[in-house]
């Protein structure tokens, strides 16, 4: 199971450590933060104890209004579940009672100056990506007119050269050679690089090129949601037909289904243009438009 540590959060978000510096190696395995509101009034049936607990103004103001006995009771009930850490937002003060219990239970208590909602949004975004299931595959990832495409095919088939043509036409490289795929949700697959290949494109007969140095910042994108899986294959005689609407095919990565298209290569075929057409056609289908359906309606009307 993937995990991050409390120290990772401290370093990334510049959090102030109020107590528990010796315990910042504690592991976080669940994405999304939790605001313990119901738990402060004694309801623990669905308490996500593995999540980072964020205390905003509402929670702290509520605790401030309680008697010492009530406060000790409510806080004591939560810390005994040993969540990874507590983060107090908006630089709130008067936290000695909270520090006492966190110190007793060995739980880091952190603080940020950011407003509660803004901090939670940033934290959730980071944890979802950092803890997402992932896999690496051989291929190229490009963003064509805002649409993430995975280009696959045998070594030497021309994936990187095709990506270079697309970049020259104003589209963007995400990753070359090794593409890291992350599952962010049941239907969301993210493609990104593996850091070592960031901004690099390997072109046979030329070598490694840095697309940002060659074409500017607009030629590269850190990540993109993958919505099309295109495989480049060698030409097969008599394999292609002229069907108005091809039977849809899909690929499966980390249990996420992605529409699959095979493009056969032959001298003279403008593969980059076909990929642009596939991307634009996918977008139109998302808007509810099908060229084949419109054509059939015209025939019926005639």
């Amino acid at each position: 199971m993937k995990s991050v540590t409390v120290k990772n959060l401290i370093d990334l978000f510049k959090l102030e450590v109020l107590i528990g510096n010796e315990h910042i190696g504690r592991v976080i395995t669940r994405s999304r933060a939790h605001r313990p509101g119901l738990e402060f009034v004694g309801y623990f049936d669905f308490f996500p104890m593995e999540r980072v607990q964020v205390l905003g103004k509402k929670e702290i103001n509520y605790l401030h209004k309680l008697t010492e006995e009530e406060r000790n009771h409510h806080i004591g009930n939560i810390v005994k579940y040993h969540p990874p850490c507590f983060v107090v937002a908006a630089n709130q003060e008067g936290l000695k009672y909270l520090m006492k219990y966190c110190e007793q239970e060995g739980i880091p208590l952190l603080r940020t100056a950011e407003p509660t909602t803004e901090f939670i949004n940033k934290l959730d975004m980071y944890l979802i990506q950092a803890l997402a299931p992932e896999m690496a595959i051989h291929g190229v990832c490009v963003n064509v007119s805002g649409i993430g495409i995975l280009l696959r095919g045998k070594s030497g088939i021309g994936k990187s050269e095709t990506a270079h043509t697309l970049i020259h036409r104003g589209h963007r490289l995400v990753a070359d050679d090794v593409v890291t795929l992350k599952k962010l949700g049941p239907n969301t697959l993210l493609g990104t690089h593996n850091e070592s290949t960031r901004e690099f494109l390997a072109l046979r007969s030329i070598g490694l090129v840095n697309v940002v140095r060659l074409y500017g910042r607009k030629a590269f994108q850190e990540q993109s949601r993958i919505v099309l899986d295109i495989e480049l294959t060698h030409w097969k005689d008599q394999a292609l037909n002229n069907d108005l609407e091809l039977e849809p095919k899909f690929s499966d990565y980390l249990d996420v289904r992605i529409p699959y298209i095979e493009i056969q290569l032959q001298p003279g075929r403008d593969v980059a243009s076909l990929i642009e057409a596939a991307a634009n056609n996918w977008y139109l289908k998302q808007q509810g438009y099908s060229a084949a359906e419109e054509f059939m309606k015209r025939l019926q009307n005639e």
Side-chain angles (χ1 to χ4, degrees):
M1 179 181 290
K2 297 179 66 177
S3 64
V4 298
T5 66
V6 174
K7 186 179 186 305
N8 293 143
L9 301 188
I10 295 170
D11 294 341
L12 181 64
F13 295 104
K14 310 300 181 188
L15 302 177
E16 177 187 0
V17 181
L18 299 178
I19 207 73
N21 193 58
E22 64 274 24
H23 301 294
I24 59 175
R26 299 188 67 174
V27 170
I28 302 165
T29 58
R30 292 282 300 278
S31 59
R32 299 191 182 279
H34 176 68
R35 295 182 70 172
L38 289 174
E39 291 75 22
F40 279 140
V41 294
Y43 186 77
F44 286 89
D45 286 5
F46 301 99
F47 179 43
M49 65 187 76
E50 306 93 346
R51 295 182 179 178
V52 175
Q53 307 296 313
V54 179
L55 305 177
K57 287 185 178 181
K58 291 180 181 178
E59 291 80 16
I60 296 300
N61 285 340
Y62 171 75
L63 292 176
H64 284 344
K65 293 178 181 179
L66 297 177
T67 65
E68 183 177 355
E69 183 179 353
E70 291 172 332
R71 200 158 49 212
N72 291 342
H73 173 71
H74 292 314
I75 297 173
N77 281 340
I78 289 181
V79 296
K80 71 181 181 182
Y81 286 95
H82 290 90
C85 65
F86 288 94
V87 181
V88 176
N91 258 349
Q92 295 176 88
E93 304 284 348
L95 305 174
K96 287 185 178 180
Y97 53 85
L98 197 55
M99 294 170 65
K100 179 184 72 173
Y101 275 97
C102 286
E103 185 174 25
Q104 289 176 357
E105 298 294 335
I107 303 172
L109 177 62
L110 316 173
R111 183 163 59 185
T112 177
E114 289 202 60
T116 310
T117 303
E118 290 182 19
F119 174 72
I120 289 178
N121 289 339
K122 291 179 181 179
L123 178 61
D124 284 352
M125 189 178 301
Y126 165 72
L127 290 177
I128 287 171
Q129 292 202 28
L131 300 176
E134 66 178 51
M135 63 181 292
I137 66 168
H138 174 67
V140 178
C141 182
V142 289
N143 185 282
V144 178
S145 300
I147 295 169
I149 296 176
L150 187 62
L151 289 180
R152 295 187 297 111
K154 293 182 179 179
S155 182
I157 195 91
K159 301 182 295 296
S160 298
E161 288 84 353
T162 301
H164 178 260
T165 302
L166 289 167
I167 293 167
H168 200 260
R169 293 184 180 185
H171 305 297
R172 296 178 175 181
L173 173 72
V174 176
D176 180 43
D177 190 36
V178 178
V179 181
T180 299
L181 300 178
K182 295 186 176 186
K183 181 181 180 180
L184 301 189
N187 302 305
T188 304
L189 194 68
L190 191 75
T192 186
H193 52 81
N194 66 350
E195 280 301 331
S196 62
T197 60
R198 185 177 185 271
E199 301 177 358
F200 287 123
L201 186 65
L203 300 174
R204 292 178 185 271
S205 303
I206 303 298
L208 275 178
V209 299
N210 186 309
V211 298
V212 173
R213 295 295 183 93
L214 281 180
Y215 302 111
R217 178 53 53 188
K218 62 181 177 58
F220 176 75
Q221 186 167 316
E222 288 285 350
Q223 56 192 23
S224 181
R225 181 186 176 189
I226 303 296
V227 298
L228 279 179
D229 178 29
I230 296 180
E231 183 178 13
L232 305 182
T233 63
H234 292 294
W235 182 268
K236 307 181 189 74
D237 288 336
Q238 309 301 321
L240 298 181
N241 51 51
N242 293 318
D243 290 344
L244 294 179
E245 189 76 5
L246 298 176
E247 187 70 23
K249 296 180 181 179
F250 296 90
S251 300
D252 189 294
Y253 299 102
L254 299 169
D255 295 325
V256 179
R257 287 210 321 166
I258 302 296
Y260 166 86
I261 297 173
E262 178 188 7
I263 296 181
Q264 295 184 18
L265 306 183
Q266 189 182 50
R269 289 199 97 189
D270 189 346
V271 180
S273 289
L274 291 175
I275 291 172
E276 288 177 323
N280 292 329
N281 199 45
W282 175 88
Y283 178 78
L284 289 174
K285 286 182 178 180
Q286 304 311 299
Q287 308 305 308
Y289 174 79
S290 168
E293 289 180 6
E294 182 180 358
F295 181 70
M296 293 305 297
K297 286 179 181 178
R298 290 184 185 182
L299 291 181
Q300 291 172 0
N301 291 335
E302 290 180 0

